[in-house]
Amino acid sequence: MPFEKGKPKTGGRKKGTPNKLTQETQKSIEIIFSSFNNYFENHLDLFTWREKRDTWKFLLPYILKKPK
């Protein structure tokens, strides 16, 4: 049944309830990030400055929450 404008919301998550899947995903990414960070620190000479910057630029949005 499609949503009808003007009808109150029924079911689903309550407003302000955190998404459990997002929290689990973020924890998994943090674990992967920490292991990658250890590798990254131990093998710094293998990467160019640009590769390091691009890697951090790609990974940080998944680790840090976006400001509201």
Side-chain angles (χ1 to χ4, degrees):
M1 184 169 148
F3 178 76
E4 294 177 17
K5 195 171 185 176
K7 245 184 161 180
K9 177 183 173 182
T10 58
R13 281 188 290 144
K14 302 269 189 261
K15 188 175 182 180
T17 304
N19 187 341
K20 290 180 185 176
L21 182 60
T22 303
Q23 289 176 347
E24 291 172 5
T25 304
Q26 188 174 6
K27 286 179 185 177
S28 299
I29 290 172
E30 286 177 10
I31 291 168
I32 293 167
F33 178 76
S34 66
S35 64
F36 174 76
N37 191 31
N38 291 337
Y39 174 82
F40 201 60
E41 288 176 358
N42 293 333
H43 298 87
L44 284 176
D45 53 335
L46 299 176
F47 299 99
T48 65
W49 180 85
R50 183 168 279 137
E51 290 171 331
K52 293 174 198 174
R53 181 201 61 194
D54 291 343
T55 304
W56 287 110
K57 190 176 179 181
F58 176 77
L59 291 173
L60 281 177
Y62 293 101
I63 288 141
L64 302 175
K65 293 182 180 181
K66 294 181 182 179
K68 293 183 180 182

